Amino acid sequence: MREAPRPENGTTRSTSATISPNILRYLGEITGEYGVDLGPELTHVGLTETLMRSAALRVSYRQGSAVIRRAVELTGDENLGLRVGAAQHLTAWGLLGFAMLASDTLRVAIEAGVRFQNVSGAMTVWSAAQEDSDYVVRADLPDPMVDPNVAVFLVEEAFSSVVTLGRLAAGAGLAPQEVHFTFPAPRDVQPFRDLFRCPLHFGAPRNRMVVPQAWINRPMPGRDPVTYASTLELLEAQMASRRRQQDLLEVLEISVAQSLPAVPSFSEQARRHASSERTLRRRLADCGTSYEAIVEGVRRERVEQLLHRPHLTLREVARQAGFSDERALRRAVRRWHGMAPLQLREGFLSGDGGNDATSRARGIGHAATTA
């Protein structure tokens, strides 16, 4: 799977709680059909059933990935992402779903989805563009360190939900022209054929879906210019609020990352932001996080970056990441990944992200397959 470049001094913001937990809510419903209770996994990452019912709840990319990883393991369903995506409704996307229903054409609906993806709960990075004679929708992963099984789940869920919601909004006959996946073909391709109803390509360079020209400019059944315009105004207001939260989190994460191995105190961060400690703590609580969680997340990302460098000793990794000694580093890595630092490094250097067993089960590295 192609990886995005790793940041050297900044972060991917994967530690901050900015994602609406729609995927986790539907994941809980689907895993429940297998008799799997995700309650303990949610609790492990700091979530509860009460929090999950809150409209204001935001989760971090890492929280979501941890729960998804365990759900795939506990269900043993390699097509779990397909099922979660296909179970969704436009109402799960809130105002964005309403705006897409009211869009003039399918192209306008897709472009609204891409523009406001940050308020939809998406865990992939969406883009869409005309490529020669094809209109292509792409889904990329924001975190290059993601577990291979989580990556497969996210891409499956992304395209499955888009096709499912597209049929609900534009018509049941909608089918892509073709879909490309970067991961290898699963053991059972039939669920993909049943859902997408088009040629499928596995082991491709990019995750991409080609939308037929016959559909892309077709008028939407529920189009309403006034409703669309007024809904977009509300979405713009939500985006502005989200940007302010993300700007704060990004500034703090970059500040910590650039200061390692030392960590600025919370009082120092408050002074830098011309804020009282109480006000800054409240603003972070509004973002669903804390300064301690930000520091923990930045250290984790720094450790993962450093473990990719085989010439560094564990003592040096611990020092550069701001840990007191190797023992503190080992405890942290075991808490994050459930394994020792050297095991994690071995996994990174072998190209499986520290999850050799799960990547072998998924067949990472198979040749491209067309279904």
Side-chain angles (χ1 to χ4, degrees):
M1 191 171 296
R2 181 177 296 176
E3 289 189 350
R6 290 194 226 13
E8 290 296 320
N9 297 314
T11 70
T12 62
R13 288 211 306 268
S14 61
T15 60
S16 299
T18 58
I19 300 169
S20 178
N22 294 333
I23 293 176
L24 298 188
R25 292 191 179 107
Y26 280 95
L27 179 63
E29 292 182 12
I30 298 300
T31 54
E33 296 175 4
Y34 288 84
V36 171
D37 178 13
L38 285 184
E41 310 308 323
L42 294 170
T43 301
H44 184 70
V45 298
L47 300 172
T48 66
E49 290 185 10
T50 301
L51 281 174
M52 290 294 290
R53 289 194 294 268
S54 170
L57 175 66
R58 296 295 180 268
V59 300
S60 70
Y61 190 82
R62 290 206 184 279
Q63 282 176 309
S65 296
V67 175
I68 290 168
R69 181 185 305 111
R70 285 296 291 151
V72 173
E73 292 173 358
L74 292 170
T75 63
D77 184 353
E78 66 175 355
N79 297 326
L80 190 61
L82 284 186
R83 303 188 199 288
V84 171
Q88 294 180 36
H89 305 283
L90 275 167
T91 51
W93 288 20
L95 283 175
L96 179 55
F98 197 51
M100 294 174 75
L101 277 172
S103 298
D104 186 51
T105 64
L106 183 58
R107 179 194 291 265
V108 173
I110 291 172
E111 290 173 354
V114 170
R115 179 180 174 187
F116 297 104
Q117 60 186 287
N118 284 350
V119 301
S120 71
M123 291 182 67
T124 53
V125 179
W126 288 104
S127 59
Q130 191 74 34
E131 296 182 5
D132 298 325
S133 60
D134 295 331
Y135 189 81
V136 177
V137 178
R138 295 183 297 273
D140 294 310
L141 298 168
D143 186 350
M145 306 292 188
V146 67
D147 174 291
N149 282 350
V150 175
V152 169
F153 173 95
L154 291 178
V155 174
E156 286 183 355
E157 186 279 333
F159 283 141
S160 175
S161 63
V162 164
V163 169
T164 298
L165 300 183
R167 287 169 181 159
L168 291 172
L174 173 64
Q177 184 172 313
E178 55 188 54
V179 184
H180 299 245
F181 302 99
T182 58
F183 53 82
R187 288 184 291 269
D188 184 6
V189 181
Q190 194 58 46
F192 287 79
R193 295 193 181 108
D194 292 342
L195 177 68
F196 293 107
R197 310 173 199 162
C198 71
L200 306 170
H201 306 274
F202 296 91
R206 297 286 296 274
N207 297 302
R208 55 198 301 272
M209 180 172 68
V210 180
V211 184
Q213 290 294 328
W215 280 89
I216 197 64
N217 293 316
R218 181 178 295 191
M220 295 284 280
R223 62 189 181 280
D224 187 312
V226 175
T227 299
Y228 178 76
S230 60
T231 307
L232 250 59
E233 289 182 9
L234 295 173
L235 286 168
E236 287 285 6
Q238 284 190 6
M239 283 287 288
S241 175
R242 184 69 57 84
R243 287 191 201 101
R244 287 192 294 271
Q245 290 185 344
Q246 290 184 335
D247 287 347
L248 171 63
L249 299 175
E250 184 173 20
V251 166
L252 288 174
E253 289 185 348
I254 290 175
S255 172
V256 172
Q258 292 179 339
S259 299
L260 287 178
V263 176
S265 68
F266 186 72
S267 59
E268 172 62 23
Q269 294 286 18
R271 284 195 295 273
R272 291 180 184 181
H273 287 81
S275 169
S276 69
E277 293 183 38
R278 181 178 180 180
T279 298
L280 182 56
R281 200 172 297 280
R282 176 181 54 76
R283 292 181 64 194
L284 289 174
D286 290 342
C287 296
T289 190
S290 66
Y291 185 58
E292 292 75 19
I294 289 173
V295 172
E296 173 94 347
V298 171
R299 275 182 168 159
R300 175 174 176 164
E301 290 191 308
R302 180 58 55 86
V303 166
E304 290 170 348
Q305 292 166 0
L306 295 172
L307 287 176
H308 275 81
R309 303 173 185 177
H311 64 281
L312 292 179
T313 65
L314 290 187
R315 178 179 297 178
E316 184 62 16
V317 171
R319 188 196 68 78
Q320 291 193 34
F323 289 97
S324 57
D325 54 33
E326 289 181 48
R327 286 182 299 177
L329 171 66
R330 289 192 183 95
R331 287 195 298 270
V333 172
R334 190 161 293 280
R335 183 173 68 251
W336 298 331
H337 293 279
M339 64 181 71
L342 290 179
Q343 289 177 289
L344 185 62
R345 167 176 276 172
E346 182 181 353
F348 285 152
L349 297 181
S350 67
D352 68 10
N355 294 274
D356 183 60
T358 54
S359 63
R360 277 202 304 269
R362 196 62 166 104
I364 301 299
H366 286 184
T369 302
T370 301

